[in-house]
Amino acid sequence: MIALVSGGPGGGPLARVRNGAVVRRQGFPPRLSWWAAAILAGIGGKCLDLASPDLSWWPLAFLGVFLIVAAVWQQRAAVASLAGLLAGALFWGPHINWLTLYLGPIPWLGLTSVMTAWYVLFGVAAALATRGLARIGGLRARPVLLIAAQALTVAGLWIAREEAQGSWPYGGFAWGRIVHTQADGPLLQAVSWLGFAGLGGLIVLACAIPVAAIAATAVPDPFASAPDQPRDRSRIRRLLPALGVGAAMLALLAIVPAAGLPQTGSITVAAVQGNSKSGIFDDRENGSVLKDHLDATSQLLDRLEASGESVDVIVWPENSAEFDLRDNVMGGLRVEDLARRADAPIVVGSVLRDPDGTYTNSALVWTGEGEAPVRYDKRFPVPFAEYMPNRPFFHAIVPDLVDLVQLEYRHGTRPPVFDVPAANGAIRAGLAICFDIIFDDQAVRTVEDGAQVIFAQTNNADFGRTDENVQQLAIARLRGVETGRALVNISTVGTSAIVAPDGHDIDRIEPFAAGSVVGTVPLVEGATPALALGAWFAGAWLAIGAIGLFAGVAGSALARRRGGAPAEAGTPPRVEEID
């Protein structure tokens, strides 16, 4: 004997009774149809891209997370995979299309595929977790607990995805994190308290709570007594506060001021943007990049001398002194002359060749007396650009592209902080060369080693007038606020800016224009809460995601096991869940 139990949207059957057992569609409470999930996931992925620089429509980040989470909520694995695939592809595809400018479509497609795969894994994990948690009777009977458990788990799994993609493969690609969308938004200063992972998790949680509330209250439980009008009103009363919780969380984060640190003084810093032809395929003469920065620095000093002003340190970009300034006698003397004229050291970027034949992407300091005995080597060279991992394997697949990577830069092992010998005392400067700035470990090491200010040198010439340079500046801005330190982001072509510890621009120069920025910045000491506790915040989100996923998988398994147990005489019909 088979009977249908109705009451779903549109009056369709939610379950059927077969031989004394109630057989329910697997996945109850409700989920989106596969086509709706696919559409919302794709729109959500595109919203995240539009929320990122250059457009920086940061409110769309919340909509994007909401739509992606809704698409995978309590879904079957196949639909969740499709949703994750569309969300990832429509975010990462346009977000990193700048890769195609100098390497063509193959590296772009490869990196997009890897990053999208992480989205697929997130979609499946979030679907399994939310679906399984909804089958745990104790949670289903307590909607508030169910909403909290599901939303916290999804937030933890989102951060787990970001942490995983920032670690593997080949050191990871910690780009495109949800917190990066807030560099120009009101949540910027909250990153100094919570760090990238901590704030990112709360953003996702605020967006997941409404999804959980809607799902938990959308359809009555067909195994409870027939709903009456008061029961419907009680669902609405539960739904409205839950919907308001997410908005309240974001509002509170928006009014949090940046965490302040003790100041030990201040310096006036200048940074020079040479607007050089410094890309891999640029047609240029040897020494032209160095000349551009020498000329722009000379013009800076002309202006300073005319106005009676001075600076304590001058920062040049990554690769600004080209290959091994130490062996370039004439070039080194010209930099030395400018440092003497300015009565200030110049931090330069140069590719160095060590005696063992290895290469490093390095930062050096030149004073009026020549090279200072300090050096920093880039700790995170870019795979497939500055070195080629598994070269024989990839050469067999795309030999022409692999052959473009001629030098094998090694990973730097020196501390990311050194003392810059200025006229009024040494400046303890933290260094980050290009790709370094995106990694949390670099920020932690910089603060632990006592940096008072951060110099972020970069060379964006390979990416032309794409979004890459403003995306990197957004990450650098967040990193400065997170560490509580002023940050100088200086590029060969832009976008360059001096950023205050609270995230506002002290001075800025437009991209693709030779010139300089000058600003007085504080020197600070100590660690913000984000740096002191950031690893704990990240670990907490990972633990929450793992526990929620385990509980969800266990909840599904137990529900299936209960569904197959024989019913005793006089007991209510058992529940047997089916696909």
Side-chain angles (χ1 to χ4, degrees):
M1 175 182 177
I2 296 177
L4 298 180
V5 180
S6 63
L14 290 173
R16 58 184 178 178
V17 178
R18 180 176 59 194
N19 298 327
V22 178
V23 184
R24 181 171 53 186
R25 290 204 313 266
Q26 193 172 8
F28 184 88
R31 59 186 176 229
L32 293 172
S33 61
W34 73 267
W35 57 267
I39 292 173
L40 293 190
I43 294 174
K46 187 58 182 176
C47 283
L48 292 185
D49 178 55
L50 296 175
S52 306
D54 186 25
L55 290 177
S56 296
W57 294 348
W58 56 265
L60 288 181
F62 310 127
L63 176 61
V65 173
F66 176 88
L67 294 177
I68 293 171
V69 168
V72 301
W73 204 265
Q74 299 169 166
Q75 285 290 356
R76 297 182 183 181
V79 177
S81 298
L82 175 62
L85 175 67
L86 292 173
L90 288 174
F91 169 64
W92 282 109
H95 192 65
I96 58 172
N97 66 354
W98 35 264
L99 270 178
T100 63
L101 192 64
Y102 80 105
L103 288 178
I106 295 178
W108 165 79
L109 181 61
L111 184 56
T112 297
S113 298
V114 172
M115 294 297 103
T116 298
W118 286 119
Y119 260 92
V120 172
L121 290 175
F122 161 76
V124 173
L128 290 173
T130 53
R131 187 176 174 184
L133 290 170
R135 293 173 178 168
I136 298 175
L139 291 178
R140 193 164 58 217
R142 299 171 179 84
V144 173
L145 289 181
L146 176 60
I147 290 168
Q150 289 180 312
L152 284 166
T153 298
V154 169
L157 292 173
W158 186 290
I159 297 305
R161 175 189 62 79
E162 291 188 346
E163 294 293 315
Q165 76 172 48
S167 303
W168 189 89
Y170 306 118
F173 186 55
W175 206 272
R177 298 165 79 172
I178 187 60
V179 75
H180 295 169
T181 64
Q182 301 306 301
D184 297 310
L187 305 189
L188 169 63
Q189 296 187 14
V191 78
S192 65
W193 295 92
L194 300 165
F196 281 34
L199 179 57
L202 288 183
I203 291 172
V204 178
L205 176 62
C207 299
I209 287 174
V211 178
I214 292 169
T217 60
V219 177
D221 190 336
F223 309 109
S225 58
D228 54 18
Q229 196 64 23
R231 176 84 180 268
D232 290 340
R233 286 197 298 268
S234 71
R235 287 194 177 88
I236 295 174
R237 285 196 298 269
R238 288 200 306 264
L239 177 60
L240 291 179
L243 294 176
V245 167
M249 287 177 57
L250 297 176
L252 288 173
L253 291 172
I255 64 175
V256 172
L261 293 176
Q263 296 188 15
T264 60
S266 63
I267 59 169
T268 300
V269 59
V272 175
Q273 177 177 297
N275 191 31
S276 305
K277 291 184 177 180
S278 48
I280 291 178
F281 302 124
D282 282 339
D283 183 14
R284 63 177 182 271
E285 296 181 359
N286 185 35
S288 63
V289 177
L290 174 61
K291 181 179 183 302
D292 288 336
H293 288 86
L294 290 168
D295 292 345
T297 304
S298 181
Q299 294 169 12
L300 163 68
L301 297 181
D302 289 342
R303 294 197 305 273
L304 292 174
E305 291 166 355
S307 61
E309 298 176 289
S310 63
V311 296
D312 296 296
V313 61
I314 299 171
V315 186
W316 285 10
E318 174 189 21
N319 303 150
S320 50
E322 301 187 50
F323 281 90
D324 213 336
L325 183 61
R326 301 172 305 180
D327 292 340
N328 183 348
V329 177
M330 292 303 298
L333 288 174
R334 293 191 65 185
V335 178
E336 181 181 330
D337 287 343
L338 288 175
R340 187 181 304 112
R341 178 183 168 189
D343 192 24
I346 301 176
V347 181
V348 305
S350 184
V351 175
L352 304 182
R353 187 177 189 274
D354 288 327
D356 62 359
T358 61
Y359 290 86
T360 59
N361 189 344
S362 302
L364 304 170
V365 176
W366 241 253
T367 71
E369 299 177 352
E371 181 185 1
V374 294
R375 169 180 169 181
Y376 167 70
D377 303 326
K378 185 176 183 179
R379 297 179 63 228
F380 297 96
V382 183
F384 303 98
E386 292 178 307
Y387 75 97
M388 180 57 63
N390 307 117
R391 183 179 285 269
F393 172 77
F394 288 108
H395 190 272
I397 301 173
V398 282
D400 292 340
L401 285 175
V402 171
D403 288 342
L404 292 175
V405 183
Q406 298 180 0
L407 299 184
E408 291 281 344
Y409 291 87
R410 65 174 175 82
H411 292 71
T413 57
R414 288 177 167 83
V417 175
F418 58 47
D419 289 325
V420 180
N424 296 324
I427 301 166
R428 191 80 173 146
L431 279 297
I433 298 178
C434 194
F435 204 48
D436 286 340
I437 199 69
I438 72 175
F439 291 99
D440 295 344
D441 180 68
Q442 185 79 3
V444 172
R445 287 284 304 275
T446 297
V447 170
E448 288 180 346
D449 291 345
Q452 299 170 300
V453 63
I454 297 175
F455 299 153
Q457 302 168 295
T458 187
N459 175 15
N460 305 110
D462 284 315
F463 307 111
R465 298 179 183 272
T466 66
D467 292 348
E468 190 277 341
N469 60 352
V470 285
Q471 289 175 10
Q472 186 173 329
L473 177 58
I475 298 172
R477 185 186 310 282
L478 284 156
R479 195 64 79 188
V481 176
E482 180 196 38
T483 59
R485 281 146 175 83
L487 181 140
V488 180
N489 190 82
I490 183 62
S491 169
T492 50
V493 296
T495 301
S496 300
I498 299 175
V499 182
D502 66 357
H504 80 270
D505 286 346
I506 295 173
D507 197 6
R508 182 180 180 124
I509 186 171
E510 292 302 312
F512 297 98
S516 57
V517 286
V518 179
T520 299
V521 301
L523 301 176
V524 303
E525 62 181 12
T528 60
L531 267 293
L533 302 173
W536 290 97
F537 293 144
W541 281 122
L542 295 180
I544 289 170
I547 293 170
L549 178 59
F550 176 81
V553 172
S556 291
L558 289 173
R560 287 192 295 269
R561 186 177 302 172
R562 285 195 305 267
E568 298 181 5
T571 61
R574 68 182 185 271
V575 176
E576 179 182 336
E577 297 191 351
I578 61 172
D579 287 324

